Amino acid sequence: MNRYNAFDAGVEFGGLKNSADIKILICYLLKSIGRPLTRKNMIDAITGNGIANYFEVNQGLSDLVKTECLTSSGALEDQTFTLTDKGREVAETLESTLSINVRKKAVRETLALLTRLRRESENKIEILPLESGGYSVSFTVLDGVDKLMTLELYVADLFQAEQLKNSFLEDPAGLYTMILSRLAGEHAVGEQREE
């Protein structure tokens, strides 16, 4: 039997090259995360770190739905997958066949991805080209529906705008806290000088 029966383009050393292992990983991820994930979430999490090939992950998702290890809902682009009892049994029985590094890497990447998606939904970022050249990047930190802060910056090109966006999404609350702290500290220093 050929152990390596999956496409391995884009798969890093130690990644999965067997279609059965990829299916086990998909079930394991859904069990570990404990919530449904979209097709895009699954593909980004597994292929983002070179764990498995894009086409193999797609095929694995389809196969798992056919074998009733997963259920799916929604259109192809927004298709969401939920683990069934059968899929949970597969994950619990066979997860130890996957290396601990692959399991940790996949869960870590998935959690980071979900954190970023949550931050994107909880905060607003707008990148607008300017007639004079460059871009205006606007960051809005929200607390539910309340706007806590809006910060607008000028950058020379789209690459810089995307870098700022990515940095902001790493820790929007930290940026807000830092600016608030800095402004409160500067205010306190100003009050001392007036005395």
Side-chain angles (χ1 to χ4, degrees):
M1 182 175 165
N2 183 4
R3 174 107 172 103
Y4 303 112
N5 63 355
F7 291 116
D8 62 358
V11 178
E12 293 181 5
F13 180 75
L16 303 179
K17 298 175 184 176
N18 180 287
S19 57
D21 289 344
I22 294 166
K23 293 173 197 171
I24 294 166
L25 179 64
I26 290 169
C27 291
Y28 172 78
L29 260 182
L30 285 166
K31 179 186 85 96
S32 298
I33 298 300
R35 61 171 273 197
L37 294 172
T38 66
R39 179 179 294 276
K40 182 173 180 357
N41 294 156
M42 295 294 291
I43 290 170
D44 288 351
I46 296 173
T47 63
N49 273 330
I51 296 171
N53 178 279
Y54 171 88
F55 300 105
E56 295 294 337
V57 175
N58 263 315
Q59 186 62 50
L61 290 167
S62 297
D63 291 349
L64 288 166
V65 169
K66 287 177 190 169
T67 58
E68 299 179 350
C69 290
L70 304 179
T71 58
S72 69
S73 60
L76 185 61
E77 290 298 313
D78 298 317
Q79 194 172 14
T80 301
F81 296 93
T82 304
L83 193 63
T84 64
D85 289 339
K86 184 177 179 182
R88 183 173 314 287
E89 188 177 320
V90 166
E92 290 170 355
T93 305
L94 300 173
E95 68 186 43
S96 63
T97 63
L98 302 172
S99 79
I100 189 73
N101 289 336
V102 165
R103 287 183 278 163
K104 283 182 178 180
K105 193 184 233 189
V107 169
R108 187 175 52 244
E109 184 68 21
T110 304
L111 290 173
L113 176 69
L114 293 175
T115 299
R116 181 181 172 96
L117 291 172
R118 181 182 49 79
R119 287 178 179 160
E120 285 178 0
S121 70
E122 293 174 351
N123 300 282
K124 185 178 173 186
I125 303 166
E126 204 170 20
I127 299 173
L128 299 171
L130 300 173
E131 286 183 25
S132 59
Y135 291 82
S136 168
V137 185
S138 174
F139 305 99
T140 303
V141 177
L142 301 167
D143 180 24
V145 293
D146 296 327
K147 192 185 298 186
L148 296 177
M149 174 185 79
T150 299
L151 174 66
E152 187 173 349
L153 300 169
Y154 167 84
V155 294
D157 56 38
L158 191 55
F159 178 75
Q160 285 181 319
E162 289 295 330
Q163 282 185 312
L164 288 179
K165 174 184 172 180
N166 291 333
S167 294
F168 173 77
L169 288 173
E170 288 294 316
D171 189 13
L175 176 66
Y176 172 74
T177 303
M178 183 188 72
I179 289 173
L180 191 62
S181 173
R182 179 71 183 197
L183 290 174
E186 291 294 322
H187 181 70
V189 170
E191 284 179 354
Q192 288 175 351
R193 285 182 187 152
E194 289 175 10
E195 291 178 0

